[in-house]
Amino acid sequence: MGRRKKIILISIILFAALLLSGKFLIAPAMIRHSIRNWLEDYWKGPIEIASVDVSWTGDIRAHHIRLMDDNMRQWMSTEWADFDIRFTPRASLFLREAGGIDLQAHLDNGVLDPPLTLQPPGHGCARVLKLHELALRVPLPHGALGLVGNHVVL
């Protein structure tokens, strides 16, 4: 085999290795970091993301996302979450869909106070969202389950 053919073959192998490492190592790590940064705008406790997959067509799926408090109690988890990248005007992640969602609540001395925070993009100070400002309603087959402040309503 001639010297030129060896150089071309080595170049092709290096290009393929770079492409594969980008897809399987670099892109998932960058996207995991972006998802964590996005969640930190709203959650002030520990965040775990087991893995991130990026398909050849650009589909993004994160697996086993967990939001916990400082006592490592889980407040929310998802089995999977699909994200899109949109350019508005810069590249940003948007949650498209999530499944296998598990919500849990914990009382501390009779007070329900999840480690939520609202930090508008571009603002340096965070405003803590207290649960009494939050209302949640989940439709069920025979009625609905609601959460208003510290009270569960049926």
Side-chain angles (χ1 to χ4, degrees):
M1 186 181 297
R3 178 178 165 90
R4 184 178 171 131
K5 287 183 180 180
K6 284 182 184 179
I7 291 174
I8 291 172
L9 182 62
I10 290 171
S11 297
I12 290 171
I13 291 171
L14 288 175
F15 178 74
L18 182 63
L19 184 66
L20 291 174
S21 69
K23 186 211 180 302
F24 292 111
L25 299 174
I26 298 169
M30 290 175 62
I31 291 171
R32 179 183 289 132
H33 180 72
S34 296
I35 294 170
R36 184 180 312 278
N37 283 344
W38 173 66
L39 288 170
E40 285 174 350
D41 285 345
Y42 306 98
W43 192 259
K44 61 181 180 178
I47 298 167
E48 289 181 359
I49 303 169
S51 64
V52 173
D53 296 329
V54 181
S55 74
W56 290 106
T57 59
D59 294 329
I60 300 167
R61 177 166 278 192
H63 300 276
H64 303 288
I65 299 173
R66 294 179 61 209
L67 304 179
M68 296 166 290
D69 60 18
D70 289 334
N71 296 324
M72 298 307 287
R73 296 178 300 187
Q74 178 177 299
W75 283 77
M76 198 266 323
S77 70
T78 65
E79 289 180 19
W80 57 269
D82 291 340
F83 292 86
D84 290 327
I85 297 178
R86 297 183 191 158
F87 296 92
T88 58
R90 61 183 178 87
S92 300
L93 280 175
F94 286 86
L95 178 64
R96 182 174 9 118
E97 187 178 4
I101 298 172
D102 178 25
L103 295 173
Q104 299 178 25
H106 305 281
L107 295 175
D108 290 322
N109 298 321
V111 177
L112 186 61
D113 191 18
L116 291 170
T117 182
L118 291 180
Q119 184 174 359
H123 293 74
C125 62
R127 183 175 83 79
V128 175
L129 174 69
K130 296 294 182 186
L131 195 62
H132 67 272
E133 300 170 356
L134 181 68
L136 173 69
R137 190 166 179 82
V138 180
L140 298 173
H142 302 287
L145 174 67
L147 176 66
V148 179
N150 295 355
H151 306 285
V152 174
V153 271
L154 298 173

